[in-house]
Amino acid sequence: MKIITVLVLTTLLFGCNTQEKKLDGFIIKGNVKNLNNSKLLVLKFVNGGIEGDSISVVNNKFEYSGKVKEPYFIQLLIKDGKSTKGKLTEFMIENSEIHIEGNSIEYDSIKVSGSQSDKILKEYLEKDEVLNSKWDLLKEEYDKYLESNDSINRKKTGKKLNKILQIERVGLLKKYVANNSNTTVGALLPSFCTIENTLTEKDFKEIYNTLSQQIQKTNYGQRIFGKFNETNE
């Protein structure tokens, strides 16, 4: 029994150490058809600026590793000599094992997996785009009523537009922040949403208070904090 117990404990400890090691940094593993032996330009949108790097591709495969303090947005561009042929993909990078697969000549075929921040952000943006498309269609109706001086229908449609923008889209953002309040992705969502200019100081304060104390201290959390405190400084 003692031997079995020791073996179980050793397995558990080894598993924990392996997980910690995995989360200590990131590794990007790519297997993309038709890249051949080209190079990739890495653009990192971090600290309010852009940093660059490059990755060598051998037989359509590549690896790139490092460590990030907080998730941030990167783009991979295909290099053709000194110029670039186009964008391979873009995603949020975090300390995890990230896989990139697909065909370089079909942009929509490129799939990125392994980054939870990227998955949640893109899921949110996809749902937000559905609401935005509804808003665009209603805006066309609104403009027609405005042109024809139909004030009754214009006001009705205007209320629907405001509901989508100020209630449904803002509500969707707050919901995603609340659902991810204990991770950095909860704090980064407002930085990548398309309705930031619609958010009031009250909205920013509510979003900030939704976050856990640890996440409030991140750079993304402090950016939100500044949004409702900048007029009081």
Side-chain angles (χ1 to χ4, degrees):
M1 289 295 292
K2 288 184 178 180
I3 295 175
I4 294 175
T5 303
V6 171
L7 286 174
V8 171
L9 286 173
T10 302
T11 303
L12 289 172
L13 288 171
F14 179 77
C16 292
N17 289 335
T18 301
Q19 186 178 24
E20 289 175 2
K21 184 177 181 181
K22 180 180 178 181
L23 297 176
D24 187 53
F26 69 83
I27 180 166
I28 299 172
K29 295 183 177 182
N31 186 3
V32 180
K33 295 178 181 178
N34 292 307
L35 274 182
N36 301 316
N37 297 321
S38 58
K39 276 197 171 184
L40 299 177
L41 174 64
V42 184
L43 296 182
K44 310 173 185 179
F45 297 82
V46 60
N47 298 326
I50 303 177
E51 299 177 5
D53 205 349
S54 63
I55 305 173
S56 295
V57 182
V58 180
N59 296 327
N60 297 317
K61 296 181 179 181
F62 60 89
E63 285 194 6
Y64 184 69
S65 60
K67 186 176 183 179
V68 300
K69 183 179 178 181
E70 295 178 5
Y72 58 78
F73 185 71
I74 75 167
Q75 290 184 337
L76 299 183
L77 308 179
I78 304 172
K79 293 190 68 175
D80 184 12
K82 294 184 178 180
S83 61
T84 58
K85 292 173 60 178
K87 180 170 62 179
L88 178 67
T89 189
E90 57 188 17
F91 57 94
M92 294 296 297
I93 192 169
E94 63 182 21
N95 291 325
S96 62
E97 184 170 306
I98 300 170
H99 292 267
I100 302 175
E101 298 178 335
N103 193 324
S104 65
I105 60 177
E106 300 173 16
Y107 180 78
D108 290 337
S109 75
I110 303 298
K111 304 299 179 185
V112 179
S113 60
S115 170
Q116 190 69 2
S117 299
D118 187 65
K119 179 182 177 182
I120 294 171
L121 175 61
K122 287 178 178 175
E123 181 183 281
Y124 156 72
L125 291 175
E126 186 176 337
K127 290 183 179 180
D128 182 67
E129 180 54 33
V130 172
L131 294 175
N132 187 46
S133 296
K134 285 174 59 179
W135 190 92
D136 287 340
L137 289 174
L138 279 173
K139 182 62 167 61
E140 291 179 8
E141 290 184 21
Y142 180 88
D143 291 340
K144 289 178 181 178
Y145 294 137
L146 182 64
E147 188 177 347
S148 62
N149 293 317
D150 187 343
S151 60
I152 295 177
N153 284 314
R154 176 178 60 81
K155 289 179 180 179
K156 288 181 179 178
T157 307
K159 289 180 179 179
K160 292 179 181 178
L161 287 170
N162 288 334
K163 180 183 177 184
I164 291 175
L165 180 59
Q166 299 175 353
I167 298 178
E168 294 182 22
R169 294 185 70 188
V170 172
L172 179 67
L173 174 63
K174 290 180 179 179
K175 177 183 176 181
Y176 265 80
V177 171
N179 289 344
N180 298 279
S181 59
N182 292 319
T183 61
T184 309
V185 68
L188 67 81
L189 286 169
S191 297
F192 292 91
C193 74
T194 57
I195 58 169
E196 188 175 42
N197 292 334
T198 303
L199 299 175
T200 64
E201 287 188 15
K202 182 179 178 181
D203 290 326
F204 280 114
K205 188 171 184 178
E206 182 181 337
I207 288 171
Y208 178 80
N209 289 333
T210 302
L211 302 172
S212 67
Q213 290 186 351
Q214 181 181 0
I215 301 304
Q216 287 177 349
K217 296 175 183 178
T218 64
N219 289 331
Y220 290 110
Q222 287 301 296
R223 181 179 182 277
I224 297 171
F225 181 78
K227 288 294 183 177
F228 65 85
N229 273 282
E230 52 192 11
T231 58
N232 299 322
E233 292 178 352

